[in-house]
Amino acid sequence: MLFGTQPYDREAFDRARTGSDPEICYHRSHLNARNAVLARGADAVCAFVNDTADAETIRQLAEFGVRLIALRCAGFNNVDLRAAARCGIPVVRVPAYSPHAVAEHAVALLLALNRKVHRAYWRTRDGNFSLHGLLGFDLCGKTAGIVGTGRIARELIRILKGFGMEILANDPHPDERYAAETGIRYLPREELFAQSDVISLHCPLTDQTRYLIDAAAIARMKPGVTIINTGRGQLIHTEALIEGLKEKRIGAAGLDVYEEEAAYFYEDTSDRIMDDDVLARLLSFNNVIVTSHQAFFTREALDNIAHTTLQNVRSFLNEGRLENEVRAETEHAL
Ligand code: NAI
């Protein structure tokens, strides 16, 4: 049972499915405690980033006989892993479907914001060929601070080094060999914030990383810093970010994720009045670009997601084998 299905999910899963695979039911609604009932009779449920598998949802899934939660994403902050363990429902995920897709989107946000492409696009359509307000800076020679040095971060670092940027990094598990090979420097988070012209977030959302960019962190940053978040919305305290933008301490922000995105992202809400004042304020800044959790959204990534998810489900249902399992201990290890 696929929750939160969009037409492109269905196309990718239909492409990847073989004749001997179990039947797939596609649901547009998100997985949560209200909709869990839709999974009655399913062996496995498949969820994405804005589905919620909290303790109550998982309790219901267990009651309905669901035996596996197969996430079709890398992050698993939306699943109560302890509740899943208690109910005996294993959780599997797609650890990497295209680190390139996410890293390249982070660069797209950075370049668009720095060179004001989003503003130039509208201006020239309206016959306004003035350069006023479109001044950018050379990335070459500037410093990028990368939080987390996993798969996506390493792709991003490779690209940013191509621009001639100096790279600082922060990770509770620094890979000194990688640092020596690539010429990056690991620093404590506070020092990274103080020295970086561009900050990009690539760590998972955990109790240790929630609101890692808050008012105190912003106060430490270089004036005019560009912040890119393709990680998870709650890595940034959005109201503190808005204050930083209003005080002009923050030069620009590129956000592919937002704390309260579940109510908006992936939906066309253009015929409704926006209730979320924080999101509305963010969208009012001309130096902020919000994209709708689309960093993963490439053809290659969608196909990889469908292939790995189906393989995870097949292994479990046919052979009782857990591939790409996540456990509460995994969360701790991060
Ligand atoms: P990964 O597991 O390869 O790397 C994560 C890195 O973060 C690891 O090196 C880990 O040691 C580090 N880390 C853990 N706790 C940390 C902390 N407290 N401070 C700094 N670093 C910490 O993960 P990957 O594939 O690079 O993905 C990173 C995140 O990107 C995912 O957790 C997910 O939330 C997000 N993501 C967003 C997508 C989008 O479409 N916007 C798509 C895919 C992932």
Side-chain angles (χ1 to χ4, degrees):
M1 186 76 67
L2 249 88
F3 281 90
T5 314
Q6 298 287 346
Y8 46 80
D9 294 313
R10 190 178 188 134
E11 283 163 26
F13 273 82
D14 283 346
R15 265 199 307 275
R17 198 170 164 257
T18 63
S20 57
D21 279 332
E23 186 193 347
I24 306 180
C25 285
Y26 297 98
H27 269 293
R28 189 103 165 70
S29 1
H30 283 306
L31 174 64
N32 54 38
R34 279 192 314 281
N35 296 333
V37 64
L38 295 169
R40 196 188 283 275
D43 292 301
V45 298
C46 179
F48 196 49
V49 292
N50 288 327
D51 293 310
T52 306
D54 56 13
E56 172 53 21
T57 308
I58 291 170
R59 190 195 62 72
Q60 292 188 39
L61 293 179
E63 196 181 302
F64 300 139
V66 170
R67 293 191 282 140
L68 179 72
I69 297 176
L71 296 171
R72 55 182 192 280
C73 52
F76 47 87
N77 52 286
N78 50 341
V79 181
D80 186 331
L81 294 173
R82 280 184 186 76
R86 271 198 309 276
C87 292
I89 304 185
V91 180
V92 293
R93 65 167 177 157
V94 183
Y97 33 89
S98 175
H100 310 281
V102 184
E104 288 169 14
H105 191 74
V107 176
L109 290 172
L110 171 60
L111 289 176
L113 285 164
N114 177 26
R115 307 307 297 269
K116 324 285 192 275
V117 177
H118 56 305
R119 298 181 63 201
Y121 172 82
W122 286 112
R123 248 184 220 195
T124 53
R125 288 190 164 231
D126 194 33
N128 178 353
F129 297 96
S130 133
L131 297 184
H132 179 75
L134 302 187
L135 192 66
F137 57 86
D138 286 6
L139 289 174
C140 184
K142 298 296 184 303
T143 300
I146 311 295
V147 181
T149 50
R151 283 168 280 238
I152 294 170
R154 289 177 193 217
E155 273 312 310
L156 178 65
I157 289 169
R158 193 178 57 76
I159 299 169
L160 297 183
K161 284 183 68 71
F163 285 130
M165 296 190 81
E166 191 193 335
I167 310 292
L168 306 177
N170 169 261
D171 198 303
H173 308 290
D175 181 344
E176 294 300 347
R177 196 160 137 191
Y178 166 71
E181 279 166 12
T182 48
I184 69 162
R185 266 192 304 142
Y186 279 105
L187 285 180
R189 201 190 277 168
E190 292 69 24
E191 287 179 40
L192 177 149
F193 287 156
Q195 295 182 33
S196 301
D197 301 292
V198 172
I199 294 171
S200 195
L201 306 180
H202 301 284
C203 56
L205 174 64
T206 64
D207 289 343
Q208 289 73 46
T209 61
R210 181 168 288 108
Y211 298 139
L212 73 88
I213 294 191
D214 59 6
I218 291 169
R220 274 189 211 105
M221 292 176 189
K222 277 190 177 180
V225 62
T226 298
I227 298 175
I228 305 293
N229 187 8
T230 59
R232 283 291 180 267
Q234 282 187 32
L235 297 176
I236 297 184
H237 193 284
T238 314
E239 289 178 7
L241 182 79
I242 288 173
E243 280 311 305
L245 286 157
K246 281 163 70 179
E247 288 164 7
K248 325 234 171 8
R249 286 196 63 79
I250 297 172
L255 309 173
D256 186 50
V257 285
Y258 165 60
E259 291 192 59
E260 303 296 334
E261 68 181 48
Y264 288 91
F265 284 18
Y266 302 139
E267 302 300 330
D268 179 0
T269 68
S270 55
D271 59 349
R272 298 209 314 250
I273 302 296
M274 187 171 283
D275 296 319
D276 185 330
D277 290 349
V278 176
L279 180 58
R281 184 68 178 101
L282 269 183
L283 293 170
S284 74
F285 291 104
N286 63 9
N287 53 351
V288 171
I289 296 180
V290 175
T291 53
S292 186
H293 207 138
Q294 73 174 75
F296 76 99
F297 198 49
T298 64
R299 256 189 304 279
E300 292 78 2
L302 282 185
D303 284 338
N304 289 339
I305 286 172
H307 274 109
T308 307
T309 304
L310 284 173
Q311 190 49 47
N312 288 344
V313 172
R314 277 180 210 124
S315 297
F316 179 72
L317 294 184
N318 300 342
E319 300 159 39
R321 210 156 39 81
L322 285 166
E323 274 182 59
N324 298 314
E325 187 183 16
V326 273
R327 294 160 161 274
E329 301 87 273
T330 321
E331 189 177 37
H332 266 311
L334 290 169

